[in-house]
């Protein structure tokens, strides 16, 4: 049986849209059931739940990740499931600010070589990654982390602008090549999504 999850605010309020609070588990007992009426339609009607492979696509902080369960019908969408009746069972303790920062660092490290091949003289992203790891190890202050992050954000914005300009030029030059690049990009995105889903689950102990 597939384990399901739900991300909410600390008081059970939704953090990704929607209405109404979830009843929180207490003293080892699940929260009360929630139910909706009508046809289940992703993003429109129903109680939205996540499978393990969905969680990395819906990260939010501050927030709480819960193990959830459902009864009755459930409709599967691309990156979520929708149920008519569900409840929260227990908190996932590994979901924390530290685990999200660690995951972000590991994702950044995977693409750092790509960035550095294009911008070999810009070390701000690498410095931000290093500062974040030091912060997680309690070897850097929050101020040092914020300064490194601000520098990395400036770098990312400049790199994004350059990438957009290059993409526009490519479209004008060769539409067929762009289509081929898009297909390769889709494959790469799926592979990266699969890695992220698996790695984040490992980090939080699922």
């Amino acid at each position: 049986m597939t384990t399901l999850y739900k991300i909410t605010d600390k008081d059970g309020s939704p953090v990704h849209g929607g209405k109404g609070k979830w009843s929180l588990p207490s003293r080892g007992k699940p929260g009360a059931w929630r139910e909706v009426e009508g046809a289940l339609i992703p993003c429109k009607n129903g109680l939205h739940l996540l499978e393990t492979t969905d969680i990395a696509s819906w990260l939010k902080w501050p927030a709480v990740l819960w193990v959830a369960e459902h009864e009755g019908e459930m409709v599967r969408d691309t990156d979520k499931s929708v149920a008519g009746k569900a409840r929260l069972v227990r908190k996932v303790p590994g979901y924390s600010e530290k685990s999200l920062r660690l995951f972000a660092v590991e994702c950044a490290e995977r693409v750092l070589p790509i960035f550095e091949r294009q911008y070999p003289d810009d070390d701000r992203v690498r410095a931000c990654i290093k500062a974040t790891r030091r912060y997680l190890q309690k070897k850097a202050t929050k101020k040092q982390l914020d300064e490194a992050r601000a520098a990395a954000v400036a770098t990312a914005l400049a790199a994004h602008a350059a990438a957009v300009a290059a993409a526009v030029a490519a479209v004008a030059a060769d539409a067929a090549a762009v289509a081929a690049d898009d297909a390769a990009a889709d494959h790469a995105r799926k592979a990266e999504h699969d890695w992220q889903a698996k790695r984040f689950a490992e980090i939080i102990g699922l």
Side-chain angles (χ1 to χ4, degrees), residues 3-206:
T3 302
L4 298 170
Y5 302 89
K6 180 69 183 180
I7 299 176
T8 74
D9 203 343
K10 290 186 293 185
D11 65 355
S13 299
V15 294
H16 291 113
K19 297 180 294 184
K21 289 184 179 181
W22 289 74
S23 171
L24 304 183
S26 177
R27 298 181 180 181
K29 295 183 179 180
W33 290 99
R34 287 193 68 186
E35 294 187 63
V36 297
E37 297 181 353
L40 301 178
I41 305 174
C43 299
K44 292 185 178 181
N45 187 57
L47 303 172
H48 293 73
L49 304 171
L50 306 175
E51 295 186 5
T52 303
T53 54
D54 302 325
I55 298 172
S57 298
W58 295 93
L59 300 182
K60 188 82 173 181
W61 188 261
V64 181
L65 177 66
W66 307 91
V67 173
E69 61 183 4
H70 85 287
E71 285 189 353
E73 181 186 4
M74 188 165 69
V75 174
R76 179 66 186 164
D77 197 17
T78 305
D79 56 0
K80 57 188 170 293
S81 297
V82 186
K85 181 177 181 181
R87 65 179 178 179
L88 307 181
V89 179
R90 64 181 181 277
K91 184 186 295 186
V92 177
Y95 189 91
S96 65
E97 181 180 5
K98 182 176 181 179
S99 65
L100 268 69
R101 286 188 186 275
L102 176 59
F103 177 64
V105 165
E106 292 195 7
C107 289
E109 286 174 334
R110 285 173 61 80
V111 297
L112 181 60
I114 299 173
F115 174 81
E116 291 187 332
R117 281 197 297 272
Q118 189 166 358
Y119 303 97
D121 298 323
D122 194 332
D123 64 353
R124 289 175 291 181
V125 174
R126 179 175 289 275
C128 181
I129 291 172
K130 183 178 179 180
T132 304
R133 281 208 176 274
R134 287 177 56 80
Y135 180 76
L136 292 173
Q137 297 165 357
K138 299 183 178 179
K139 295 179 180 179
T141 65
K142 183 66 163 55
K143 181 180 179 181
Q144 290 172 321
L145 174 63
D146 289 343
E147 289 173 348
R149 182 171 56 193
V153 168
T155 299
L157 291 174
H160 177 70
V164 170
V168 171
V171 169
D174 191 344
V178 171
D181 288 346
D182 284 347
D186 287 343
H187 178 76
R189 276 193 291 269
K190 183 182 184 309
E192 184 62 20
H193 174 272
D194 292 347
W195 177 87
Q196 289 184 8
K198 180 180 179 181
R199 182 59 187 137
F200 188 71
E202 292 171 347
I203 289 174
I204 63 175
L206 297 185

